[in-house]
Amino acid sequence: MASTSVSRIVPASPDKVWSLIGGFDALPDWLPYIPESTALEGGRVRRLKNPEGEVIIERLVDFNETERQYSYAILQAPFPVNGYVSTLRVHAVPGLDDVAEVQWSGRFNPDNATEQEVVDLFTGIYADGLDALHATLAG
């Protein structure tokens, strides 16, 4: 099983960051790659569309408001992986109230791709996503 993780310090308190990204259906609020999200099954499943119109369906598998984190599994996507589970976390930075660390990590099995190809793919998606989050919060 392959894995990757990307972290960024962002210019907002952990509570403010979590209020923006903590909703499972909130990706369009901060992630340009996902302009459309539809909540299904009482909010436990999200049906996403990317700018090309490709559909991604994900299921919430763990949510912890107190720890400011959630994990989800991909059920359907145009990515060359299976067994994908990812976690999005918001951490406080000791001694600093006006910034937070956001970590986006995932583990997955390559499917018709090399391990390095899928690690590079998701490292890029996470890095671009956290860069977009930083820009949204700095804006």
Side-chain angles (χ1 to χ4, degrees), residues 1-7 81 84-89 103-108 115-127:
M1 182 164 273
S3 65
T4 188
S5 181
V6 175
S7 294
V81 296
Y84 177 101
V85 176
S86 183
T87 300
L88 193 59
R89 293 183 175 95
Q103 179 187 33
W104 199 350
S105 60
R107 61 185 192 278
F108 34 80
E115 183 170 313
Q116 192 60 56
E117 287 170 336
V118 293
V119 166
D120 290 348
L121 171 68
F122 287 106
T123 299
I125 288 171
Y126 300 164

Side-chain angles (χ1 to χ4, degrees), residues 18-104:
W18 184 246
S19 72
L20 175 61
I21 72 171
F24 188 56
D25 196 37
L27 289 179
D29 296 339
W30 61 274
L31 189 62
Y33 180 69
I34 301 295
E36 184 180 324
S37 178
T38 305
L40 306 169
E41 295 184 25
R44 303 284 299 172
V45 172
R46 61 187 179 194
R47 183 180 187 274
L48 311 170
K49 278 192 181 175
N50 67 17
E52 292 77 38
E54 296 171 313
V55 173
I56 303 162
I57 300 176
E58 299 172 336
R59 175 176 295 283
L60 185 66
V61 294
D62 184 53
F63 183 88
N64 188 317
E65 184 79 29
T66 304
E67 297 290 322
R68 293 186 293 259
Q69 69 179 37
Y70 69 80
S71 298
Y72 61 95
I74 288 180
L75 305 179
Q76 173 189 327
F79 307 126
V81 296
N82 61 56
Y84 177 101
V85 176
S86 183
T87 300
L88 193 59
R89 293 183 175 95
V90 178
H91 300 285
V93 177
L96 299 173
D97 296 333
D98 58 345
V99 299
E101 179 184 10
V102 181
Q103 179 187 33
W104 199 350

